[in-house]
Amino acid sequence: MPANRMSVGIIGAGPGGLALGIFLKKAGFRDFTIFDREDGVGGTWRINTYPGLACDVKSHLYSYSFELKPDWSRLWSGQAEILDYFERCARRYELAPHLKLNTEIVSARWDAATTSWQLSTANGEQYSFDVVVSAVGLFTQPAMPNLVEQKPFTGTVMHTARWDHSVDLTDARVAVLGTGSTATQLVPEVAKVAKKVYSVQRSPTWILPKPDRQYTDREKWIFARVPFAKKIYRTRLWLRSESNISVIENGSDKTQEFKGIALRVLESTIPDEELRRKLTPDHPLGCKRLVFATDYLPTLTKPHVEVISSPAKYLRSRSLVTEDGTELDVDVVVCATGYAAADYLGQIDVIGEDGTSLRETWRDGAFAYLGMAVPGYPNFFMLYGPNTNVGSNSVIFMLEAQAHYIVRALKYMRRRRKSYVAVRPETMAQFIAKIDQWMTGTVWLTRCSNYFRAPNGRVVTQWPRSARAFWGMTRRFRAADYTFEPVDAVVEVVNR
Ligand SMILES: Cc1cc2nc3c(=O)[nH]c(=O)nc-3n(C[C@H](O)[C@H](O)[C@H](O)COP(=O)(O)OP(=O)(O)OC[C@H]3O[C@@H](n4cnc5c(N)ncnc54)[C@H](O)[C@@H]3O)c2cc1C
């Protein structure tokens, strides 16, 4: 590879892929392509369009640090405004010539002879790049519940990630499966139009208040006109998020404080004792992703809304049957059942050195150095990779830190005229040991089902420290952590 013409293939045009494209441009890398299987940029915020979708991180923090927006309409913006923001960023930084949309990457294969990656698309096209970065996100593979059709269901079943806007919910009987953030955003919206809503729950969730409101014209004026106002505001939001980091520690004061708030909200919103009992979780607060919602609990008290505390099991011609045998007459079943998050890169065949596949390397759960690099997979990086999902801060902050780190690695290679980079197995092993050590004592390891774990129980999605700690660890590209020529054999770094 001519060092001054390194080509980079990025898979995914969500907030992560876009940030990387922008940083590459700023660093003078001209030869890069961002692939996305969708017809536009924005990732999560383009794909998910279900009613009620909004951010649970305040908008001034859920935006790039280098592209602050003074006129966010409200504290926690909705999907359309967030999508518009990312589309504008792509335009502003002139990424269009680098985008290859409607193009799904199905495999990536390392070619040792040419020290390059061969990407194959679903249409059978082939592309070759010196470096490949996966920016496919954590939440792109919807997880469907295993519903057994006892008789062919004549209504509609859909996942929130594939919202079908042609389905009219007006006066319909709708079952919403799930109790995560998505369900809590969706149920109030569905209840506004549907005749009957069943909130079908495997287990209830701790609900924290979300005191959303619009920004006043005065606030927006200050953000736009007063020097540093929006920067200071964002920093305050960031610091406040950081101060909540102990919410990931099992039994910490912060978890107790938040649990107290959640219990008080339940008490004051749900007067019916039986319903309150159904809605009181038995898992420790924080072991699942925190849910912030203000309309959800009041909606569950409405006469046409019913909470069903048994998981959905069967479908019959026009009904849904739960595990305890309750039969619910429904027209539409909406699965707010989340994503196969722990199955990193499950839909792409990544073949590294010696023909080993990432699926095989990760058979006991995904791992990567700083969430970005895996031994045996040279010139391959990831954004939002294993153990980088932050517990109490903005994912955008983490994505920026990773994108900067990757650009630093590529700049190092450009400067030193290197055509090969792979993380050292021993670096990887030490990092995994640290992750395991930091994970000890977190609330995620308590007994509760969440999407954070690989089948063997290892927490593979979560970053067990603060956002500040991650930033500190990624501020510098330490060349000593990497090898710049192939090592004889990549030892098995995790064997668990
Ligand atoms: C409904 C929902 C709500 C969320 N709310 C919040 C929130 O409030 N706060 C928060 O911090 N985070 C939230 N998240 C997490 C959110 O995904 C991240 O904040 C952020 O979008 C991650 O950006 P990304 O670029 O890494 O991935 P994504 O936004 O997921 O983008 C990945 C892109 O990769 C593309 N892609 C995937 N596979 C392929 C392939 N094989 N070939 C080509 N293209 C491919 C996808 O089409 C997608 O465009 C939410 C996620 C979901 C699903």
Side-chain angles (χ1 to χ4, degrees):
M1 151 189 25
N4 58 350
R5 269 214 67 84
M6 186 188 291
S7 62
V8 184
I10 302 169
I11 313 170
L18 295 180
L20 181 61
I22 293 166
F23 295 167
L24 282 174
K25 255 189 115 165
K26 285 185 177 172
F29 292 93
R30 294 277 165 256
D31 190 356
F32 66 92
T33 305
I34 310 178
F35 295 91
D36 205 295
R37 59 186 176 202
E38 299 297 321
D39 59 1
V41 305
T44 285
W45 305 100
R46 167 171 297 276
I47 298 163
N48 292 271
T49 58
Y50 62 82
L53 171 55
C55 206
D56 64 10
V57 173
K58 286 196 181 125
S59 298
H60 278 260
L61 188 54
Y62 195 85
S63 37
Y64 296 133
S65 62
F66 55 88
E67 193 59 44
L68 303 184
K69 174 175 149 70
D71 59 347
W72 282 110
S73 67
R74 48 196 317 116
L75 267 63
W76 288 276
S77 298
Q79 172 262 338
E81 194 176 0
I82 302 171
L83 174 60
D84 179 67
Y85 168 80
F86 286 113
E87 287 180 333
R88 275 167 193 267
C89 289
R91 279 199 297 275
R92 177 165 175 167
Y93 290 90
E94 296 176 357
L95 291 181
H98 299 274
L99 291 173
K100 186 111 186 69
L101 302 172
N102 299 307
T103 307
E104 176 170 10
I105 301 297
V106 291
S107 75
R109 181 178 285 276
W110 173 248
D111 180 1
T114 56
T115 55
S116 65
W117 283 92
Q118 311 303 317
L119 294 186
S120 308
T121 73
N123 296 335
E125 295 158 321
Q126 303 279 334
Y127 294 87
S128 176
F129 293 98
D130 301 315
V131 172
V132 162
V133 181
S134 160
V136 298
L138 190 58
F139 304 103
T140 29
Q141 206 183 321
M144 286 298 277
N146 190 15
L147 296 177
V148 180
E149 243 178 313
Q150 289 182 326
K151 289 184 193 151
F153 184 60
T154 57
T156 305
V157 179
M158 61 177 159
H159 192 281
T160 50
R162 303 278 181 273
W163 193 262
D164 183 349
H165 289 271
S166 70
V167 177
D168 186 4
L169 298 183
T170 314
D171 292 329
R173 299 162 304 173
V174 185
V176 178
L177 319 188
T179 53
S181 288
T182 298
T184 61
Q185 294 175 346
L186 180 69
V187 166
E189 295 305 310
V190 174
K192 282 179 191 163
V193 295
K195 181 163 73 187
K196 179 84 196 174
V197 180
Y198 298 105
S199 171
V200 182
Q201 317 206 333
R202 179 185 293 276
S203 60
T205 314
W206 292 108
I207 310 281
L208 291 162
K210 187 179 185 186
D212 195 15
R213 66 167 175 84
Q214 295 203 325
Y215 283 109
T216 62
D217 287 344
R218 187 160 177 273
E219 285 170 319
K220 287 191 261 187
W221 185 89
I222 292 172
F223 290 140
R225 301 287 166 83
V226 177
F228 306 115
K230 50 187 186 310
K231 192 125 207 140
I232 292 169
Y233 180 61
R234 180 194 164 87
T235 307
R236 278 185 50 199
L237 294 177
W238 187 86
L239 288 170
R240 195 174 309 155
S241 299
E242 284 297 271
S243 72
N244 286 335
I245 181 63
S246 57
V247 76
I248 71 173
E249 276 169 37
N250 189 23
S252 67
D253 289 351
K254 195 55 87 181
T255 53
Q256 296 310 317
E257 180 193 328
F258 279 15
K259 185 175 168 183
I261 296 171
L263 281 171
R264 281 198 294 282
V265 170
L266 257 180
E267 283 280 305
S268 60
T269 338
I270 312 283
D272 181 285
E273 213 168 295
E274 169 63 11
L275 181 58
R276 207 162 59 229
R277 194 188 51 73
K278 279 185 177 179
L279 294 173
T280 308
D282 59 5
H283 59 257
L285 183 140
C287 80
K288 297 175 187 239
R289 187 180 164 84
L290 291 180
V291 174
F292 300 87
T294 297
D295 308 342
Y296 174 66
L297 290 175
T299 302
L300 298 181
T301 65
K302 295 200 166 163
H304 68 305
V305 180
E306 207 175 312
V307 173
I308 307 293
S309 299
S310 177
K313 193 93 204 246
Y314 305 108
L315 285 169
R316 293 186 189 145
S317 53
R318 206 63 173 191
S319 64
L320 176 79
V321 183
T322 57
E323 215 165 83
D324 65 1
T326 311
E327 184 163 10
L328 314 168
D329 293 335
V330 291
D331 305 305
V332 181
V333 176
V334 179
C335 304
T337 40
Y339 304 81
D343 183 20
Y344 276 97
L345 277 166
Q347 292 166 309
I348 305 180
D349 235 358
V350 182
I351 312 291
E353 276 174 334
D354 309 326
T356 318
S357 81
L358 206 43
R359 219 167 270 140
E360 174 60 16
T361 304
W362 283 348
R363 63 189 177 279
D364 292 328
F367 58 85
Y369 179 54
L370 299 169
M372 290 184 269
V374 185
Y377 297 81
N379 299 13
F380 181 82
F381 295 94
M382 281 169 285
L383 293 171
Y384 213 172
N387 292 111
T388 59
N389 195 28
V390 69
S392 75
N393 211 309
S394 170
V395 171
I396 302 298
F397 175 85
M398 298 290 279
L399 290 173
E400 273 190 46
Q402 292 156 36
H404 275 308
Y405 180 91
I406 293 167
V407 171
R408 276 184 212 114
L410 303 190
K411 277 162 75 176
Y412 179 91
M413 290 171 76
R414 185 170 63 182
R415 227 172 25 247
R416 303 289 174 107
R417 303 190 161 269
K418 304 287 186 195
S419 58
Y420 176 106
V421 65
V423 65
R424 291 181 180 279
E426 55 274 26
T427 311
M428 186 72 254
Q430 284 160 11
F431 184 71
I432 289 176
K434 278 191 193 153
I435 288 278
D436 287 349
Q437 184 197 328
W438 294 327
M439 205 58 88
T440 313
T442 63
V443 67
W444 304 317
L445 290 183
T446 54
R447 268 190 57 214
C448 92
S449 78
N450 53 35
Y451 63 75
F452 307 153
R453 292 164 185 256
N456 68 354
R458 191 160 179 266
V459 174
V460 293
T461 62
Q462 301 306 97
W463 171 244
R465 301 184 71 199
S466 65
R468 187 201 311 256
F470 188 80
W471 176 74
M473 293 181 75
T474 52
R475 269 177 67 204
R476 261 184 351 108
F477 172 72
R478 283 167 33 113
D481 291 341
Y482 290 82
T483 164
F484 294 90
E485 47 198 58
V487 284
D488 278 348
V490 176
V491 292
E492 289 262 317
V493 283
V494 267
N495 192 9
R496 56 186 79 230

